[in-house]
Amino acid sequence: MAALNLENLLILQDRDMKCLRLEQQLQAIPHEVAALEEKIASGQQKIQTAKAEWLELETKKKSLENDIKEAEGKVEKYKIQQLLVRKNDEYQALIHEIQTMIAKIGDLEEAEIKVMFSIDEAKHRFVTAEAVLKANIAGHEEKIRVLRTRDTNTREELKAAKTEVTAARRVVPDDWFRPYERLAKYPGFPVCVPIRSGWCGGCHMKVSSSIEFEAYRSENITTCDQCGRIVHWAK
C-alpha cells in the first residue's frame, strides 16, 4: 500500500509540476509581448525621426528658395530705381545694394546646393531605415500573434492539467497529502525526490543510513533529514 501511495504521490507531483510550468509560461507571455511592443514602438519612432530629418531639410530648402526669390526681387527693384535716380550718390548706393543682394543670392544658392545634397542623403537613410525597420516590426508583430495563440492554447492545456491534478489528488490519502502540500509551499517542488547512492535528490546532501534504509523499505513516508523532502529509493 505504501508503494502504491508513493506512486500516486509521484503522479500527483508530476501533474502539479506540469501546472506550475504552464502557469510560469502564462506569466512570461505578457512580459514577452510588452518587450516586443516596445521594440515596435521604438522602430516606429526611428522611422518618424528619419522622416522628420528629411522633411526638415525639405522645409529648409523651401525657405532658401523663398529667400533667393526675395533677394532676386530686390535686385530687380534696385535696378528699376537706378533708372529713376538723378543723383550720383543715390545711384552708387543702389549699385552697392545690388552687389550686396547678388552676393547674398550666391551664398543662398550655395547653401541650397548643400541642403539638396543633404536631402538626398537623408532621403536615402529614411528609405533604407524604413525598409529594415518595417521588416523588423512585421517580425515582432508576427511573434506577438504567435504568443497570443500560445497564451490561448496554454490556458486550455492548463485547464486540462488542473483536471488531471484533481483526479490524481483523489487517490492520495490525507496523511500522505498533508506533508506533500506543506513541502510544496516550502521548500517547493520537487517535493518527492529520489535517493541515489545515499544522496538526496532535492538538497543534494548525504542522508543518514537509517533514512536510506527506510526509503528502501518504502513502508511509510520517509523524509530527508537535511531538507525534509519526501524521499524514495531510486531503482
Side-chain angles (χ1 to χ4, degrees), residues 2 8 28 49 52 54 76 101 127 129 149 161 163 202 205 216 222-223:
N8 289 336
T49 299
W54 169 28
E76 292 303 315
M101 281 298 109
V127 171
T149 300
T163 300
M205 299 287 286
Y216 176 75
T222 306
T223 57

Side-chain angles (χ1 to χ4, degrees), residues 134-150:
K134 281 189 173 181
N136 290 341
I137 288 170
H140 297 328
E141 289 173 339
E142 176 59 26
K143 287 178 182 178
I144 288 175
R145 285 191 288 272
V146 170
L147 284 169
R148 297 204 188 285
T149 300
R150 185 187 301 169

Side-chain angles (χ1 to χ4, degrees), residues 46-233:
K46 287 178 180 177
I47 290 173
Q48 292 303 315
T49 299
K51 187 175 182 180
E53 180 190 5
W54 169 28
L55 295 179
E56 184 179 352
L57 288 167
E58 291 282 5
T59 301
K60 187 175 181 180
K61 177 176 175 290
K62 186 66 177 177
S63 177
L64 286 168
E65 289 173 349
N66 291 335
D67 290 343
I68 290 170
K69 286 181 181 178
E70 183 182 349
E72 289 173 339
K74 286 182 179 181
V75 169
E76 292 303 315
K77 175 185 173 183
Y78 294 148
K79 286 182 178 180
I80 292 171
Q81 288 177 349
Q82 276 184 315
L83 300 174
L84 302 176
V85 298
R86 296 290 182 266
K87 296 180 179 180
N88 185 59
D89 58 340
E90 291 178 347
Y91 188 84
Q92 293 299 322
L94 287 170
I95 290 177
H96 176 71
E97 290 295 336
I98 290 170
Q99 291 173 339
T100 300
M101 281 298 109
I102 290 174
K104 183 178 181 180
I105 289 169
D107 291 340
L108 289 170
E109 287 176 340
E110 185 178 346
E112 183 184 24
I113 291 171
K114 290 180 179 179
V115 169
M116 289 172 66
F117 279 118
S118 297
I119 287 172
D120 289 340
E121 292 172 356
K123 185 177 180 180
H124 176 72
R125 283 196 299 272
F126 167 70
V127 171
T128 303
E130 184 182 41
V132 173
L133 291 167
K134 281 189 173 181
N136 290 341
I137 288 170
H140 297 328
E141 289 173 339
E142 176 59 26
K143 287 178 182 178
I144 288 175
R145 285 191 288 272
V146 170
L147 284 169
R148 297 204 188 285
T149 300
R150 185 187 301 169
D151 182 90
T152 300
N153 294 340
T154 303
R155 289 183 187 279
E156 289 298 319
E157 191 176 354
L158 178 59
K159 183 179 178 181
K162 286 183 175 180
T163 300
E164 292 177 349
V165 167
T166 301
R169 166 68 184 91
R170 291 195 188 102
V171 296
V172 177
D174 287 343
D175 57 339
W176 282 72
F177 179 73
R178 281 192 296 270
Y180 169 85
E181 184 179 37
R182 175 178 55 80
L183 290 164
K185 294 176 182 177
Y186 184 82
F189 290 104
V191 172
C192 303
V193 296
I195 289 179
R196 289 188 174 90
S197 302
W199 296 86
C200 171
C203 65
H204 309 293
M205 299 287 286
K206 186 76 173 176
V207 299
S208 64
S209 57
S210 61
I211 294 296
E212 188 175 8
F213 179 70
E214 287 297 323
Y216 176 75
R217 291 175 60 193
S218 300
E219 293 182 355
N220 298 295
I221 291 180
T222 306
T223 57
C224 172
D225 48 5
Q226 301 292 336
C227 66
R229 287 182 174 88
I230 298 171
V231 291
H232 60 90
W233 183 260

